[in-house]
Amino acid sequence: DEARSDLKQAVTQRPADVPARLMLARLALLDGDLDEAEAELRLASQSVPGVPAVERAWAGLQAARGQHGEALGRARASLESRPDMHGHLLVAQLYLAAGDGDRARDTAREALLMVPSYRRADLTEQLQRGLGLELSDDSGEQDSLGADLPAVSPDAVVQPGAGTDPVPARATDS
């Protein structure tokens, strides 16, 4: 498609364009082309190591390959280096995929604490529907982890950090 072609042209002209490589990796992941996603992530990681958005995309790739333990480890390491709402949500999704509803709920609650209070109620409702977890502390109800929860898809795992992390455009001299 035209967007992908434009991105490929951009990285041909600027090989260290991490945002373009990250977008190519995400598109490949959404299309199920895990090898292409890995190649783009590898190049992005070599250009500017340690970018949280790239680390999260690696975690999404690992989850898509069924390597949930590795994905969770990578996502948690990224979250420790740069705590933010999107990192918490990714880790919560991975905990949920691993069947650990308690940790998923606790991590999603941590994400909510990073949101301004005026947006918290709407986001809480969206997360409860999306994750299938009861997140409010005052509900008094049992957490709802129904068996009919949808599986965490590779695109769902990648999306939390999509376009929100500041990603350096190219490597800098240190």
Side-chain angles (χ1 to χ4, degrees):
D1 97 304
E2 190 177 333
R4 188 175 296 204
S5 176
D6 290 346
L7 285 169
K8 286 185 180 194
Q9 183 178 358
V11 297
T12 299
Q13 294 171 354
R14 294 179 311 278
D17 187 340
V18 173
R21 289 208 181 277
L22 184 57
M23 185 57 65
L24 280 170
R26 287 181 176 142
L27 289 171
L29 191 58
L30 288 171
D31 288 344
D33 190 345
L34 305 184
D35 292 335
E36 182 183 343
E38 181 177 354
E40 292 299 339
L41 289 174
R42 192 171 308 288
L43 290 168
S45 295
Q46 290 169 355
S47 295
V48 183
V51 174
V54 175
E55 291 300 311
R56 290 183 191 137
W58 273 111
L61 175 64
Q62 289 172 315
R65 287 190 165 146
Q67 302 166 334
H68 294 285
E70 293 89 344
L72 184 56
R74 186 180 290 261
R76 288 181 61 200
S78 175
L79 181 60
E80 288 173 14
S81 72
R82 181 167 177 245
D84 68 0
M85 181 189 72
H86 298 289
H88 279 88
L89 292 177
L90 173 59
V91 170
Q93 286 178 319
L94 291 169
Y95 277 137
L96 192 59
D100 192 341
D102 290 338
R103 281 189 167 164
R105 183 192 60 245
D106 293 345
T107 306
R109 284 180 179 158
E110 289 180 46
L112 288 171
L113 294 176
M114 300 182 141
V115 177
S117 59
Y118 68 90
R119 292 192 55 221
R120 203 168 289 152
D122 289 338
L123 184 59
T124 299
E125 183 179 322
Q126 291 172 6
L127 286 174
Q128 287 179 157
R129 279 194 316 265
L131 295 176
L133 297 171
E134 178 61 48
L135 298 175
S136 58
D137 289 324
D138 57 354
S139 70
E141 296 180 13
Q142 192 72 14
D143 291 337
S144 58
L145 288 173
D148 57 340
L149 284 178
V152 176
S153 65
D155 55 318
V157 172
V158 174
Q159 291 305 315
T164 59
D165 293 322
V167 178
R170 60 182 67 108
T172 57
D173 296 329
S174 301

